[in-house]
């Protein structure tokens, strides 16, 4: 099959993702979508794509592809060494490739997830309105599965676009510690003030059991004595407190309902940093109001719109 990319090595975990699957929670289908929307959006933007076009989310690394199209690609996110025909190439910019070229990603030195976009996006049929792959539900992508060796990723030949780059000073920096801003929810009233203060004063460690469904933390437990709660809808970033008191932060592949008490929710902007934290990394929290969260979001959106990538070829 021609016209796209052939997967020679799928890497540790590589998923097709678009902006996410919205409007299907009532059927039990979660949102999916990129764990780091900022890096995902930049990968598409540097290819001249409309927002939300289907790209690859590469966790940890190890992906190898053979080009079967003449196109432009860009890699943004975690620091994964990128080579084209064995030659090192820079991330956070787009590159021209032609049929027969080999594209390879090494293993992440900083961060956890990188996004590989191509001009025009990958041409994958939508399932329930989206191409976002959710392996637990078996929907999206290629039959709901991670990429496998031999898979074909169709895309159009596109050679008439300029290559673009994002200046180094504007690229996110991924480290071993993140500060997450939290808006308290109505169930926080069920948690005593001293336990809430304990939560915001503590530092937690990200456990290796974390995945696209939830980030699990180890550290000072939050002591709560709450009767059984009715399950209700849960949002991205919700901080659940299970019976052992160790917080769980719900990610993009979260379940659609949950019954654990929720202290609040991490603001959406900070979820990108959490998605790039490696197991063993440190997590702390800061309380913000809904109005502050809104101002933070609007300022970030304004900065993204105002940043103009540079033409580089």
């Amino acid at each position: 099959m021609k016209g796209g990319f052939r997967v020679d090595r799928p890497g540790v975990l590589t998923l097709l993702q678009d902006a996410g699957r919205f409007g299907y929670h009532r059927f039990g289908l979660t949102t999916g979508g990129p764990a780091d929307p900022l890096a995902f959006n930049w990968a598409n933007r540097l290819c001249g794509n409309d927002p939300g076009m289907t790209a690859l989310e590469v966790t940890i690394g190890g992906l190898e592809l053979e080009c079967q199209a003449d196109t432009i690609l860009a890699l943004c996110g975690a620091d994964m060494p990128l080579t084209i025909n064995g030659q090192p190439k820079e991330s956070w910019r787009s590159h021209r490739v032609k049929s027969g070229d080999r594209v390879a990603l090494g293993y992440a030195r900083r961060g956890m997830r990188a996004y590989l976009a191509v001009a025009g996006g990958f041409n994958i049929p939508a399932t329930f309105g989206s191409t976002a792959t959710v392996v637990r539900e078996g929907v999206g992508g290629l039959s709901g599965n991670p990429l496998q060796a031999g898979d074909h990723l169709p895309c159009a030949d596109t050679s008439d676009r300029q290559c673009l780059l994002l200046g180094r000073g504007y690229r996110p920096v991924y480290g071993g510690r993140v500060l997450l801003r939290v808006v308290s929810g109505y169930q926080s009233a069920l948690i005593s003030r001293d336990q809430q203060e304990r939560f915001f004063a503590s530092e937690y460690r990200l456990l290796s059991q974390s995945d696209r469904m939830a980030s699990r933390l180890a550290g000072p437990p939050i002591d709560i004595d709450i009767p059984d709660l009715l399950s209700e809808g849960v949002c991205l970033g919700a901080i659940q407190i299970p019976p052992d008191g160790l917080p769980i932060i719900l990610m993009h592949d979260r379940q659609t309902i949950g019954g654990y008490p929720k202290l609040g929710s991490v603001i959406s902007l900070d979820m990108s940093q959490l998605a790039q934290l490696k197991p063993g990394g440190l997590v702390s929290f800061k309380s913000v109001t809904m109005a502050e969260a809104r101002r933070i979001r609007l300022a970030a959106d304004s900065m993204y719109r105002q940043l103009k990538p540079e033409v580089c070829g």
Side-chain angles (χ1 to χ4, degrees), residues 159 179-180:
S159 56
L179 174 65
L180 305 178

Side-chain angles (χ1 to χ4, degrees), residues 13 15-17 20-21 25 28-35 57 113 132-139 144 211-215 234-237 249-256 271:
L13 177 66
L15 303 172
L16 285 154
Q17 298 289 351
R21 184 171 289 104
H25 280 193
L29 295 176
T30 194
T31 307
E57 178 181 272
R113 296 174 171 92
T133 309
V134 181
V135 176
R136 186 184 76 258
E137 297 173 348
V139 298
D211 54 21
R212 280 183 49 89
M213 183 175 179
S215 290
V234 290
C235 67
L236 176 66
I249 304 173
L250 300 185
M251 307 293 284
H252 283 73
D253 287 2
R254 64 197 177 278
Q255 72 277 19
T256 57
M271 294 299 290

